[in-house]
Structure formats: structure tokens, C-alpha cells
Amino acid sequence: MSEQQAHHQVLVIGGGNGGISVAARLRRSGVDDIAIVEPREQHLYKPLFSHVAGGTARAGITVRSQREVMPKGVEWIQDAVTAVQPDANAVLLESGERITFDQLIVCPGIQLDWGRVPGLAEAMQTPAAASHYEFELAQKASLLLRDLKEGTVIFTQPDGPASCAGAAQKPMYQACDYWRATGVLDRIRVVMVVPTETAFLAPFDRELERKIEEYGIELRTRSVLLRVDSATQEVVIGGPDGPEHLHYDVLNVEPPQSAPDWLKASVLPAPGASGGFVEVDPRTLRHPRFPHVWALGDAAATTNSKCGGALRKQTWVLARNLSRVLRGKEPKARYDGYAVCPFTVSRSTVVWAEFDDAGKQKPTIPFFRRMYRESRLSWVFDRHVLPWVYWNLILTGRV
């Protein structure tokens, strides 16, 4: 690569939802020298993974080629970042290449830490365990849940930061609805393990708890998965009353998560902060110590719940602010902490949970607060409308 090719006005780390859509917004605002560093050949629409696991979507509709979604006029550097040097305005790549930049946007997403729970990674190689947090494992989960006729199935949500943590529950509700329809629900013991005090957040707990009672789900609050023994198909759950040993016939896990290792090792996280996420002003999304560095999405140390639904507003704010900075002005746009988690509580209904970084309801349509109630219309929007909006409007920077 020539010296001219090795420098960009704006360099984006990560070609997922955040990286593609913020680059598209910047292109539409007139920025013409943008590059995205992304090693993967395929782009995944992950919100549908829970539908794949729940049997209401085909895996094929969640994936497109990375080249197909790359914004026109944006260079794709198909490589992986190994280090960031903000003092030198440079990043190092796995290939040994060094790329310099004027402005850097960090949005590589979050990594799945399978090794943090003893036995968990090994369990994923066995016939009885899966996860809807990876493409292949979501397809495996779909078959396991569909074919189960009796026994114990355990769903788990990890402690600590996680991308759309509440999504751990989505395939569970869909599976319960299916088992009820096929007449086997009363022969299946369903256990849901969550680290929180309640099922989710106060404004939405009533709806979720109603479905939990309706399906006969055993909810373990303030609890986490401690260990998996795949040979005996047993898990150890840590809860307020001490460890609990449970046998499983099917185990569906949302794995522990953290910032990418190279990001943890960089100077971008706040000194002494845990997690390794990029330090940012949670409203402007600009780094307080390195003003030429920005971050959004799961890799940013914002105050909102980590989820794909937060990215639409974050990319709008960041693109507006960065465009102003490139014109010599101060950033003015503010991110309001918005997040959303559409809970698929059956195979045809959704509880639409929109909230801010204080855990309070924040409906997109303020006068329609009943959106948080179980709704068939919300399911249609989540399952059919949003995927079209994602591929055609969000990734192109239009909404």
C-alpha cells in the first residue's frame, strides 16, 4: 500500500451496523475520504438471530456480503486491528500495515468470552448446547428447541456488559409458545437465569412476568452461570442462596462479553475503568482526552444499555458532530441515551421496550405509550419491517 493510500481523513474501525451506517451518514454529508477496517466477508443482521433460534426466521435472511453493504465511495480495508496509537494518529493491522488518520471512529462491537465460564466453550461442541449469539449456533438452537419433547431446558443471561442482554429471553418465549401449541409444554421444565433483580426493567417487568407465569417458566434472578459439565449435562448456577446444580437436556446460553482484547490494551479506555470500553462523552460520543477519536455502539463506554437499537441515534449524533468538527466548528448534537429491546414473547407478539439510560420509558411515539404492552403489530414491525429498514435505510445512512 502506498503512503497516500495509508492515510485517510476518517478511519472507521468496524464494519458492523455502527461502522457502515455512520460512514454512510458522513458520505451523505459530503465527507469523501473514509475507510472502514473490517476483516469479515459477511455482514450479519444479528437482531434476527433470536428469531432464527426461535424458529420464526431462516438463517439465510440475516446475512449479506460485506462488499454489498459497503457505502459507495468508502474504502474497505479487509483486515483486523491489533493496536491503536491515538498520539500518532495511527492504527496497526494484523497484516503488519500501519494506517494513519485525521479522525478515528471506534466501533468494533463486543467480543464473546466463551472461556470465562469453565466448560462453556466445550459444551458448544456437544449436541445439547447452543447459543443464538453466533450464526451457526443460532441454527443449532433452532433445531434443539424444535425437537425437544420433554426434559429440562435452561436459558442464561450473563452478568456484566452484554449486547442486548435481554435478548437471552427471546428464543425462550418463542420456544414455549411452540411447545404449548404442540402440546408438550407441560412436560418441559424451563429455567431462565438472569443476573438482575427482576426479569428486565421496572416499566416492562409486568408484561414479561405475565408471560413467564403463563408459560410456567422458573425465573432465577440475581443468578449467573458458573460452570458447565457437558459430559453429565449439568450446570452450576450461582444465586442468592448459594450454588445450584441443574441437569439440562438443552442449554441455550448468552455468553459473557467484554471489549475486544486489543481495545482493552490500548489507552482509549478511561484510566482505571473496568471493561476496557472506549472513554467518551456519553452525549457527544467524542473522546475527552483524544478529541480526534470518537466511539459508538457496544465498544463505547456510554451510559445506555448496549444494543443495536441505540445505534440509529448514536450514528446520527456522531456524524453530525464529526461533520461540524471537520468544518472547524464545535459539536452540538447530543445523544439522549435511548435504547430499545423488542421482546418476542411469543411466535407472533412482541413487548416493545424503549428506555433511556436511567431505565425509564422513552417511547419513540410519546403519545403511544402502550407500545410496551404485548402486541401483534410490534411483532410484525420487529420481524418484517425492521429488517427491510436495516438493509435499505439504516445501512445507507437515510434514517
Side-chain angles (χ1 to χ4, degrees), residues 264-285:
K264 296 175 190 171
S266 75
V267 297
L268 295 181
S274 61
F277 299 102
V278 181
E279 181 183 11
V280 291
D281 180 320
R283 299 306 176 216
T284 64
L285 305 177

Side-chain angles (χ1 to χ4, degrees), residues 218-345:
E218 298 177 25
L219 182 64
R220 301 286 195 277
T221 58
R222 295 182 293 159
S223 302
V224 293
L225 179 65
L226 297 179
R227 188 168 64 253
V228 182
D229 186 337
S230 56
T232 61
Q233 292 185 200
E234 184 180 83
V235 297
V236 180
I237 306 298
D241 299 322
E244 178 183 11
H245 295 251
L246 289 172
H247 171 81
Y248 66 85
D249 295 283
V250 172
L251 174 66
N252 189 81
V253 173
E254 177 183 346
Q257 297 161 52
S258 67
D261 290 336
W262 62 264
L263 188 53
K264 296 175 190 171
S266 75
V267 297
L268 295 181
S274 61
F277 299 102
V278 181
E279 181 183 11
V280 291
D281 180 320
R283 299 306 176 216
T284 64
L285 305 177
R286 193 181 197 180
H287 201 291
R289 290 178 288 120
F290 303 105
H292 56 300
V293 175
W294 309 73
L296 74 161
D298 292 342
T302 48
T303 53
N304 63 284
S305 175
K306 295 184 184 298
C307 66
L311 283 171
R312 183 177 59 82
K313 289 194 175 185
Q314 287 185 2
T315 57
W316 182 86
V317 167
L318 197 155
R320 295 268 297 200
N321 285 338
L322 181 50
S323 294
R324 286 182 61 85
V325 168
L326 292 176
R327 298 195 303 270
K329 300 180 180 180
E330 286 299 308
K332 283 189 175 181
R334 311 275 292 175
Y335 171 56
D336 59 7
Y338 172 89
V340 59
C341 185
F343 279 93
T344 47
V345 293

Side-chain angles (χ1 to χ4, degrees), residues 56-365:
T56 55
R58 293 180 296 102
I61 66 173
T62 70
V63 59
R64 294 189 182 181
S65 72
Q66 190 68 33
R67 189 170 301 281
E68 183 181 351
V69 301
M70 196 64 58
K72 291 182 179 179
V74 172
E75 181 180 339
W76 175 23
I77 302 172
Q78 192 175 0
D79 210 331
V81 173
T82 58
V84 179
Q85 301 171 333
D87 289 321
N89 284 42
V91 300
L92 303 181
L93 304 182
E94 200 171 69
S95 63
E97 195 69 62
R98 182 174 184 267
I99 311 291
T100 58
F101 55 82
D102 294 330
Q103 300 285 330
L104 178 69
I105 302 174
V106 184
C107 49
I110 202 166
Q111 73 179 14
L112 305 181
D113 293 331
W114 296 101
R116 278 194 12 219
V117 176
L120 180 57
E122 294 80 4
M124 291 299 115
Q125 307 304 314
T126 67
S131 170
H132 59 292
Y133 270 68
E134 286 193 355
F135 181 72
E136 292 81 6
L137 292 176
Q139 299 173 75
K140 181 183 179 183
S142 177
L143 297 176
L144 286 175
L145 297 174
R146 182 199 67 185
D147 295 341
L148 187 67
K149 298 297 186 290
E150 61 182 359
T152 299
V153 56
I154 300 173
F155 297 85
T156 71
Q157 175 183 327
D159 196 7
S163 182
C164 200
Q169 302 178 38
K170 296 180 181 182
M172 174 184 68
Y173 297 123
Q174 294 177 79
C176 285
D177 191 27
Y178 173 76
W179 292 327
R180 181 173 60 184
T182 55
V184 300
L185 180 59
D186 59 351
R187 302 203 298 268
I188 297 175
R189 182 188 185 190
V190 184
V191 180
M192 180 71 229
V193 179
V194 299
T196 48
E197 295 279 345
T198 63
F200 189 57
L201 292 172
F204 317 104
D205 280 338
R206 179 184 296 181
E207 285 294 281
L208 298 180
E209 288 168 359
R210 180 175 60 80
K211 300 302 292 187
I212 287 169
E213 182 179 359
E214 179 182 314
Y215 294 131
I217 297 166
E218 298 177 25
L219 182 64
R220 301 286 195 277
T221 58
R222 295 182 293 159
S223 302
V224 293
L225 179 65
L226 297 179
R227 188 168 64 253
V228 182
D229 186 337
S230 56
T232 61
Q233 292 185 200
E234 184 180 83
V235 297
V236 180
I237 306 298
D241 299 322
E244 178 183 11
H245 295 251
L246 289 172
H247 171 81
Y248 66 85
D249 295 283
V250 172
L251 174 66
N252 189 81
V253 173
E254 177 183 346
Q257 297 161 52
S258 67
D261 290 336
W262 62 264
L263 188 53
K264 296 175 190 171
S266 75
V267 297
L268 295 181
S274 61
F277 299 102
V278 181
E279 181 183 11
V280 291
D281 180 320
R283 299 306 176 216
T284 64
L285 305 177
R286 193 181 197 180
H287 201 291
R289 290 178 288 120
F290 303 105
H292 56 300
V293 175
W294 309 73
L296 74 161
D298 292 342
T302 48
T303 53
N304 63 284
S305 175
K306 295 184 184 298
C307 66
L311 283 171
R312 183 177 59 82
K313 289 194 175 185
Q314 287 185 2
T315 57
W316 182 86
V317 167
L318 197 155
R320 295 268 297 200
N321 285 338
L322 181 50
S323 294
R324 286 182 61 85
V325 168
L326 292 176
R327 298 195 303 270
K329 300 180 180 180
E330 286 299 308
K332 283 189 175 181
R334 311 275 292 175
Y335 171 56
D336 59 7
Y338 172 89
V340 59
C341 185
F343 279 93
T344 47
V345 293
S346 77
R347 290 167 67 86
S348 61
T349 57
V350 158
V351 170
W352 195 263
E354 293 180 290
F355 49 97
D356 62 17
D357 48 9
K360 297 179 180 179
Q361 254 191 286
K362 193 174 183 62
T364 299
I365 308 173

